[in-house]
Amino acid sequence: MKILLSNDDGIQAKGINVLAERLEKDGHEVYVIAPDSNRSAVSHHITMYNVNTLKETGTNRWACSGYPSDCVCIGLKSNMFDFKFDVVISGINEGANMGTDIVYSGTCGAARQAVLDGIPAIALSVDPEEWTIECRNKMKYEAMADFAAKNLEQLIALARTEVPRVFVNVNGASTDSYLGVKYCQSLCIRDYGDTLKIIDNNGVKESHFVPGGATPKPDENSDAYVVKEGYIAISRVYAEPLATEIVDGMQFKL
């Protein structure tokens, strides 16, 4: 298969490189277009009024000055390639992208852009045991990369490029192996606990982001619970916002 890889951690990130090597081992044609530095939590940001630059960093590898969705747009909508990709894979991300995370995630933004452009897409993420520098330095991506490579056709089959379009969101723990795989129709609701601290710097007010704990609310059927129990969590996520049902009896004044 011809596979386009991107992420929001940057082209230097371990996760995307472990995945690229594993897919190439199986004989796939792998192309990587990823941000030139970390672009976490940029959601579906697309560059419209500035020029993005691409720097070749290796064979079929480019670092982009833009955002994850920009990288996918370049791979799928530009004249850079004279062929069509079979699948876009975003990740493997450092940190989970479960439930509420999907709204903010640049990893998921890249996968969403791909299905909007008619190409099946998969987002892959691995959650550290704890969000500390020590645990992050010991992150294990090999088990997730191996799972994705072995089940690539099955994961692609779960995506949908016709309306309502769907990308596949896959999460697991940082570990050497998994107990199994579970589909998750229930996604976790995160209580981030983030705050903003305003500091006066010589008359200029600065807003500083103070991260919270991203604690998921209890739900034994959710992706967060499944990952905590040692399984891989697979969710199918709509690319387009879908409205809820019409409320009967609602009347408006003109």
Side-chain angles (χ1 to χ4, degrees):
M1 291 188 189
K2 290 181 171 62
I3 302 173
L4 175 62
L5 299 187
S6 192
N7 70 356
D8 70 1
D9 290 331
I11 197 163
Q12 80 294 333
K14 181 179 178 181
I16 196 170
N17 287 291
V18 168
L19 179 61
E21 291 175 8
R22 179 62 181 83
L23 293 169
E24 287 173 337
K25 182 180 177 181
D26 280 0
H28 297 292
E29 290 184 46
V30 177
Y31 298 79
V32 180
I33 305 177
D36 56 15
S37 62
N38 192 293
R39 301 284 195 278
S40 294
V42 298
S43 190
H44 206 117
H45 190 138
I46 288 180
T47 302
M48 295 178 64
Y49 302 110
N50 293 306
V51 173
N52 284 321
T53 60
L54 292 163
K55 180 179 179 181
E56 192 167 2
T57 62
T59 303
N60 297 336
R61 306 286 195 275
W62 294 269
C64 176
S65 63
Y67 298 88
S69 294
D70 289 326
C71 296
V72 173
C73 286
I74 290 169
L76 303 185
K77 299 161 80 80
S78 76
N79 59 348
M80 190 165 176
F81 304 106
D82 60 359
F83 56 81
K84 183 177 180 180
F85 285 100
D86 297 300
V87 62
V88 171
I89 305 179
S90 185
I92 302 170
N93 189 64
E94 179 188 270
N97 282 303
M98 300 184 288
T100 316
D101 301 336
I102 296 170
V103 175
Y104 303 101
S105 168
T107 302
C108 291
R112 184 184 299 112
Q113 182 61 50
V115 295
L116 292 176
D117 286 333
I119 302 298
I122 305 158
L124 301 174
S125 302
V126 166
D127 204 24
E129 184 176 350
E130 294 179 5
W131 201 253
T132 63
I133 294 177
E134 182 180 1
C135 287
R136 291 172 66 186
N137 289 338
K138 296 179 180 179
M139 288 281 285
K140 298 177 180 180
Y141 298 98
E142 289 77 11
M144 180 61 76
D146 193 52
F147 169 79
K150 289 179 178 178
N151 297 279
L152 190 55
E153 292 185 0
Q154 292 91 327
L155 292 172
I156 290 173
L158 291 174
R160 180 180 170 90
T161 57
E162 301 294 330
V163 178
R165 287 169 279 217
V166 170
F167 70 87
V168 183
N169 193 32
V170 183
N171 284 273
S174 170
T175 184
D176 292 318
S177 62
Y178 298 102
L179 296 178
V181 181
K182 292 188 178 182
Y183 291 106
C184 300
Q185 293 185 341
S186 175
L187 304 182
C188 70
I189 303 298
R190 295 282 202 186
D191 182 5
Y192 292 104
D194 303 330
T195 58
L196 294 172
K197 185 176 182 180
I198 304 299
I199 297 176
D200 191 292
N201 185 5
N202 295 323
V204 177
K205 292 190 183 298
E206 298 177 346
S207 173
H208 292 255
F209 180 80
V210 182
T215 304
K217 294 183 179 180
D219 180 354
E220 292 188 0
N221 297 312
S222 74
D223 45 7
Y225 184 87
V226 166
V227 169
K228 185 178 180 180
E229 291 297 299
Y231 293 85
I232 288 176
I234 297 181
S235 308
R236 300 178 75 235
V237 181
Y238 288 121
E240 288 102 345
L242 298 179
T244 57
E245 66 276 3
I246 298 296
V247 178
D248 292 337
M250 181 67 67
Q251 296 182 359
F252 298 93
K253 298 178 181 179
L254 295 177

